[in-house]
Amino acid sequence: MSSPTPAEDEVPAIQTGPKGVINDWRKFKCEDQDTPPSKKALLRQISNPQSDDVHDRLNRKMSVQEYEMIAEEDEKGLRKYRKQCMKEMHERFSFGPTFDSVVELDNGEAFLEVIEKEHRLTLVVVHIYKDGVKGCEALNSCLDCLATEYPSIKFCRIEAAATGASERFSDDVLPAMLVYKAGELLGNFLSMTQHLSEEFFAADIEAFLNEYGLLPEKEFVACPDEEEAGVEVE
């Protein structure tokens, strides 16, 4: 069996099983800027009480102190850890790029570029809106939330006047939502408010897109609005 090359050694491993999860959690907490220095020192001490062997340190069982540390973690910290793990898995297994927020497109050129040049595996959802038009502000808020739940999707928004085709996107067809993949138009949804109830939320947009089979399996649920409101998420 050939020995691994230096390049292979540099690729971070995504570990599985109880030991792997413990090891990854230790590394995450030691590297996380939000972890207090006292906790980082405790983790290093637990992982390396006497041994200088890296493999031995990383495979020690989780201590009582570490269990207590996990118990003290708030939900936001745990979501942050899960999100980082999923992002690393995406990058490692070449599932395409990941995103964590809605991208504002400034002009028609940026609009065309995101359609034509985005990664072939990336689903692109573009909201065309105009300030003051009913439903546009609500849809923007919904996509802000969905962008955190579906990091493999590139959610974008652009003002109708900035598209360079404002005559096609008059007020009566807004808000409009266009869905692309590999340069192909998969969904052309005009007057979104006609498809929804008068008051709608992120879950309604999610259900609407799912009806057309456009959404992948949800990877993590971390809508900032829900976190702040203290809503329990599975």
Side-chain angles (χ1 to χ4, degrees):
M1 182 182 294
S2 60
S3 59
T5 64
E8 289 174 334
D9 287 338
E10 292 172 3
V11 178
I14 306 297
Q15 304 190 64
T16 57
K19 267 187 182 175
V21 172
I22 292 170
N23 298 341
D24 285 339
W25 181 82
R26 282 175 178 155
K27 285 190 238 180
F28 171 76
K29 293 308 295 179
C30 284
E31 295 170 1
D32 187 11
Q33 294 181 351
D34 294 334
T35 302
S38 58
K39 288 188 177 181
K40 287 185 179 182
L42 175 61
L43 279 172
R44 293 191 183 100
Q45 182 181 0
I46 291 168
S47 298
N48 183 22
Q50 295 175 335
S51 174
D52 291 327
D53 183 80
V54 175
H55 185 271
D56 179 62
R57 291 202 313 266
L58 290 178
N59 286 282
R60 293 179 62 82
K61 293 181 179 179
M62 181 171 281
S63 67
V64 173
Q65 293 99 318
E66 285 176 294
Y67 276 118
E68 291 175 348
M69 195 179 297
I70 290 177
E72 292 173 2
E73 288 290 327
D74 58 12
E75 280 299 311
K76 185 177 181 180
L78 293 174
R79 287 194 184 102
K80 182 179 178 182
Y81 171 55
R82 290 196 297 267
K83 184 173 182 178
Q84 178 170 308
C85 289
M86 289 301 301
K87 184 174 183 179
E88 289 175 354
M89 288 182 69
H90 264 285
E91 294 171 351
R92 183 171 175 78
F93 295 108
S94 301
F95 293 156
T98 57
F99 313 90
D100 57 9
S101 60
V102 178
V103 177
E104 186 77 38
L105 303 176
D106 297 324
N107 50 51
E109 184 178 342
F111 185 13
L112 290 176
E113 185 171 330
V114 79
I115 296 170
E116 297 173 354
K117 297 185 179 180
E118 192 52 65
H119 192 285
R120 63 182 180 81
L121 297 178
T122 299
L123 189 73
V124 178
V125 177
V126 182
H127 172 210
I128 301 174
Y129 72 97
K130 180 179 178 180
D131 290 336
V133 172
K134 183 180 179 181
C136 287
E137 184 178 357
L139 186 53
N140 273 334
S141 297
C142 291
L143 296 187
D144 283 336
C145 184
L146 291 179
T148 67
E149 300 183 5
Y150 294 92
S152 62
I153 298 178
K154 186 166 188 174
F155 289 94
C156 307
R157 57 175 163 247
I158 182 170
E159 288 194 74
T163 62
S166 55
E167 67 281 357
R168 293 180 53 194
F169 299 110
S170 56
D171 292 4
D172 59 326
V173 301
L174 300 180
M177 191 164 60
L178 311 182
V179 184
Y180 300 87
K181 189 172 185 180
E184 180 182 355
L185 180 65
L186 302 182
N188 182 23
F189 307 111
L190 305 179
S191 304
M192 280 294 295
T193 50
Q194 294 183 10
H195 303 283
L196 304 163
S197 58
E198 184 171 349
E199 188 176 22
F200 60 90
F201 304 93
D204 300 308
I205 303 301
E206 180 181 36
F208 177 83
L209 292 172
N210 270 324
E211 284 182 12
Y212 290 88
L214 293 173
L215 294 182
E217 184 179 350
K218 187 182 294 187
E219 292 162 24
F220 36 77
V221 285
C223 176
D225 294 338
E226 291 178 348
E227 287 180 4
E228 291 173 5
V231 176
E232 290 186 6
V233 186
E234 295 180 357

